[in-house]
Amino acid sequence: MKHVLPVSWTETGGRGRVGGVGLTELAVRFGTPLVVVDDSHLEDRLARFRAAFGPDAGLTYAGKAFLCGALVRILARKGWLVDVVSGGELELVRRAGFPMRDVILHGNAKSAAELERAIDCGVGRVVIDHPAEVDDLRRAAAAEESDHRPDLLLRLNVELTPETHEKVRTVGPGTHFGMSPAVAATVARRIAGAGGWRLTGVHIHAGSQIRDAALFSRVAEAAVDFVAPLRLCFPETVDLDLGGGLAAPYRAGEEVPSPRRYAEALQAGLRRSNAEARLGTYRLIVEPGRSVIANAGLTLYTIHARKRLDGAAEALAVDGGLSDNPRPSLYGASYEALNASRALGETGRTFRVVGRHCESGDVVVPSATLPADTEVGDVLAIPGTGAYVFAMSSRYNGVGRPAVIFVRDGAAREVIRRETDDDLLACDLALGSPEAARIARPFSVAAVPPSRAR
Ligand code: LLP
């Protein structure tokens, strides 16, 4: 179980603590559901990636896994880059004071406004997903009357089939990201021939939660095989951005490659494809998200009901679920559960931990072994919930998003506050907001500017 828990995890008097703070104390102080992030676990992961990849690699945190101002500031201090995929993520990173040249903008459907904003705030790299995007970018630069030209990378869709959940596989048959190598080669020649913009490299992100390190070697080989015949289209140092995808452990006994093993697998692919001889100077970029933050985080819930279901099963209903963690419903993701209010290690009964939402799919953990006397009011901890949990949360059933706190050395720091009912209703113009009067008039189609009425 230890490997799914944050590194600062300790047990005192049978009770779990993270960052030197008791979990039940956190639940009392900040309420539940609560996302707890172990600062030292996060820093430990960042350091492990740096040690594995060396000082020259472009270590890039994939912001989609979880992003907040406090985290972005840590990344800046540690010399990481950040990848963003929307105007919203871009704005978060910008407001956190992150150097914009160290930002990589991704996306398969970037809007004109997002591209203009990227140009305006000086984003360092843009990953081109499809051929027309080069012209979209040119138009964005013209609209901004800006001389800023981000470095361009071409996203490749290569013929690999990573072993992972089909919903998080991003190369191969049936996926819609990037370009085939043949199409990308045409785009590369066009950019290099036109001048004015620097095509600096390629990008491949094969998928997420990948446990087989050998797949990463094949990704590296595919990137080298693409660049080598087009080498003259790129500058002296070519960017090989090989995406993210390293798996995180969720269940006891689940083994995943370490950052070192991941780096070795990529290096092995680069060696096998003779990268140095065929490419000359290149810069390796990786974009891990999940493997950085998943196990730094855990979610605390309070049990609101215990009841017997048909047959022998018993359910524990908690105060969150689908809205703060859609992963079990979306991907059948499975987690461990601990009762933070009872002595750890005490087991005795199998419960189904269910959420509070109005659907039968809202099951947090289908079968959790917990102390038999687990009761209403106890706090449950679900480890491994640092990645793609808060980031994917919703306000379903009118439930606001949880607070997020960072813990370290016996202190807790609230980094995202809990959403209030006022937050939930802030965009509802009929409910007495200052804007309500403005829209009280009946909607008239004639009021839509013709340019918008497509
Ligand atoms: N780079 C790109 C272009 C990506 O699309 C992603 C993830 C990453 C990097 C980071 O991948 P990671 O190291 O975190 O595996 N919501 C899903 C995961 C979706 C991943 C999307 N792309 C889940 O909860 O499992």
Side-chain angles (χ1 to χ4, degrees):
M1 175 78 91
K2 196 144 175 61
H3 68 296
V4 303
L5 293 165
V7 288
S8 73
W9 176 268
T10 53
E11 291 169 22
T12 312
R15 301 287 184 85
R17 301 172 83 79
V18 174
V21 191
L23 298 181
T24 47
E25 291 154 36
L26 288 171
V28 169
R29 161 113 187 266
F30 296 99
T32 55
L34 183 68
V35 179
V36 181
V37 175
D38 177 9
D39 233 328
S40 57
H41 188 103
L42 170 64
E43 293 203 6
D44 179 70
R45 295 300 287 175
L46 297 178
R48 278 172 200 269
F49 274 96
R50 182 58 73 195
F53 282 88
D56 299 330
L59 294 182
T60 306
Y61 174 74
K64 55 187 72 82
F66 169 69
L67 210 54
C68 68
L71 171 56
V72 170
R73 294 200 175 123
I74 294 172
L75 294 166
R77 275 206 316 275
K78 301 288 174 187
W80 278 56
L81 290 79
V82 174
D83 107 39
V84 299
V85 75
S86 68
E89 288 185 353
L90 186 59
E91 187 59 14
L92 188 160
V93 167
R94 191 187 69 77
R95 288 194 199 180
F98 195 79
M100 296 314 286
R101 64 175 180 281
D102 290 341
V103 174
I104 304 180
L105 176 66
H106 283 277
N108 65 315
K110 305 176 192 80
S111 70
E114 285 170 327
L115 291 174
E116 285 166 18
R117 196 190 297 189
I119 298 272
D120 181 46
C121 63
V123 157
R125 293 180 176 88
V126 173
V127 177
I128 301 291
D129 177 82
H130 50 274
E133 217 171 62
V134 181
D135 296 325
D136 295 344
L137 252 183
R138 285 208 173 92
R139 272 193 293 276
E144 286 300 305
E145 297 178 3
S146 167
D147 293 332
H148 177 63
R149 300 284 178 269
D151 289 346
L152 306 184
L153 283 79
L154 299 178
R155 180 162 184 168
L156 301 183
N157 188 342
V158 292
E159 284 188 25
L160 293 171
T161 310
E163 264 177 54
T164 185
H165 195 289
E166 60 173 353
K167 288 185 185 166
V168 297
R169 197 180 287 149
T170 42
V171 290
T175 61
H176 55 263
F177 299 98
M179 297 163 268
S180 69
V183 171
T186 317
V187 179
R189 290 198 191 91
R190 211 174 81 209
I191 299 173
W197 293 75
R198 263 165 48 104
L199 175 68
T200 60
V202 285
H203 165 74
I204 303 175
H205 171 70
S208 199
Q209 190 61 2
I210 292 170
R211 296 184 178 83
D212 176 15
L215 187 276
F216 296 115
S217 304
R218 293 200 284 279
V219 167
E221 289 172 61
V224 175
D225 288 346
F226 174 78
V227 172
L230 296 163
R231 186 63 184 90
L232 291 176
C233 295
F234 298 92
E236 191 180 333
T237 302
V238 59
D239 286 338
L240 299 184
D241 178 345
L242 304 182
L246 181 62
Y250 287 101
R251 301 301 309 267
E254 187 178 353
E255 284 191 22
V256 300
S258 64
R260 186 164 297 283
R261 178 79 197 87
Y262 174 45
E264 283 167 2
L266 289 169
Q267 297 293 356
L270 294 171
R271 265 197 314 277
R272 253 202 322 261
S273 54
N274 231 343
E276 235 161 77
R278 292 167 74 201
L279 305 189
T281 321
Y282 60 85
R283 180 190 301 110
L284 179 59
I285 298 176
V286 283
E287 300 173 344
R290 186 195 307 272
S291 54
V292 172
I293 194 81
N295 300 101
L298 46 82
T299 305
L300 301 182
Y301 296 108
T302 302
I303 299 173
H304 278 191
R306 172 176 171 167
K307 72 174 174 190
R308 188 163 294 284
L309 307 173
D310 283 348
E314 270 197 275
L316 301 171
V318 298
D319 54 354
L322 185 55
S323 59
D324 60 83
N325 185 358
R327 298 193 68 256
S329 285
L330 271 176
Y331 317 112
S334 98
Y335 295 94
E336 298 289 344
L338 303 166
N339 186 338
S341 305
R342 312 271 150 170
L344 290 158
E346 247 182 60
T347 52
R349 228 191 151 79
T350 302
F351 295 95
R352 183 186 306 173
V353 181
V354 302
R356 59 169 295 164
H357 296 279
C358 314
E359 24 194 298
S360 300
D362 186 16
V363 175
V364 182
V365 180
S367 176
T369 311
L370 294 165
D373 58 351
T374 293
E375 216 16 288
V376 169
D378 284 2
V379 173
L380 293 188
I382 310 293
T385 50
Y388 302 112
V389 175
F390 184 87
M392 296 181 75
S393 60
S394 73
R395 300 153 146 197
Y396 185 42
N397 289 159
V399 177
R401 280 179 282 239
V404 180
I405 58 160
F406 278 26
V407 287
R408 180 182 207 118
D409 299 333
R413 173 163 70 113
E414 190 168 15
V415 298
I416 299 179
R417 70 159 169 79
R418 183 175 305 286
E419 271 181 350
T420 62
D421 289 348
D422 283 342
D423 293 325
L424 285 177
L425 302 178
C427 300
D428 189 323
L429 298 177
L431 296 181
S433 72
E435 285 171 275
R438 187 174 61 72
I439 56 116
R441 292 187 303 275
F443 178 73
S444 153
V445 179
V448 179
S451 61
R452 299 261 171 113
R454 290 199 180 168

